[in-house]
Amino acid sequence: MDLAFVKLSVRNIHDYPKPGINFKDVSSAYRDSEIFHFISTSIADNYLNLGITKVLGIESRGFILGGSLADRLGAGFVPIRKSGKLPAAVFSQSFDLEYGSDTLEIHQDALSSDDVVLIHDDILATGGTMGAAISLVRRFGISNIYVNAFIELDFLGGKESLDPAVPVWSLIHF
């Protein structure tokens, strides 16, 4: 198993969710147990010695690897959800996507200022979603934040739009 094989396992869906978008479907990689194990282990290994206390998974595909990463890192898991899905008091952050806009929320009691946070999502595209997640985490006064994506779409420049003080690492690049 290597990164080239994993990259080939990601399916392209043309014109989804709207014409002109070439959607990277990670479910084709996740359905194979050996590939899923390799992805999860490879990402977790990159963060093993950083003292991560919470992994934040962004709805919804960020939940899949996010839970696995939390388990492998001995950290708690915190969901970042779309608006209206969390039952207790929340912080909210609106943002623009490459094909629309959205709002993310996190419970106000989900983190403390001494947490070391890994924010995970399946894909880093334009950076809108990750940027909103970073803004939510900053509301807790947290200084140790890391960002991870299984896939980074380099041609969209999302990494460059994020806070340069936050380290970003992605397993696969397109």
Side-chain angles (χ1 to χ4, degrees):
M1 184 71 56
D2 63 14
L3 291 178
F5 186 78
V6 172
K7 195 172 185 177
L8 289 173
S9 74
V10 176
R11 171 173 50 192
N12 289 313
I13 308 293
H14 300 287
D15 296 325
Y16 181 83
K18 72 175 201 173
I21 302 291
N22 187 22
F23 186 82
K24 299 292 186 195
D25 180 16
V26 297
S27 67
S28 54
Y30 294 169
R31 70 180 172 214
D32 182 293
S33 63
E34 290 180 34
I35 296 173
F36 185 81
H37 179 80
F38 180 85
I39 294 166
S40 184
T41 301
S42 297
I43 293 172
D45 285 352
N46 193 65
Y47 296 98
L48 277 177
N49 298 315
L50 298 177
I52 303 295
T53 59
K54 299 285 189 317
V55 175
L56 282 59
I58 300 174
E59 186 169 339
S60 66
R61 291 181 309 265
F63 295 171
I64 299 167
L65 278 174
S68 177
L69 293 173
D71 181 61
R72 290 175 184 276
L73 295 170
F77 177 78
V78 175
I80 295 179
R81 306 241 20 218
K82 294 184 180 174
S83 183
K85 304 238 179 156
L86 292 172
V90 297
F91 291 126
S92 297
Q93 182 69 47
S94 295
F95 63 100
D96 292 324
L97 295 161
E98 59 271 25
Y99 47 84
S101 63
D102 214 338
T103 300
L104 293 178
E105 295 181 338
I106 188 171
H107 277 136
Q108 290 181 4
D109 63 355
L111 303 169
S112 65
S113 61
D114 60 340
D115 276 318
V116 178
V117 171
L118 173 61
I119 303 170
H120 170 78
D121 205 358
D122 63 329
I123 295 178
L124 174 57
T126 62
T129 304
M130 281 294 191
I134 292 168
S135 293
L136 286 172
V137 172
R138 291 267 190 236
R139 289 186 169 179
F140 292 91
I142 295 172
S143 57
N144 291 317
I145 304 171
Y146 299 90
V147 164
N148 169 259
F150 165 35
I151 295 171
E152 188 171 336
L153 303 178
D154 296 331
F155 64 95
L156 291 175
K159 184 177 186 175
E160 288 75 30
S161 72
L162 300 178
D163 181 343
V166 177
V168 178
W169 183 79
S170 302
L171 184 66
I172 301 288
H173 293 263
F174 284 100

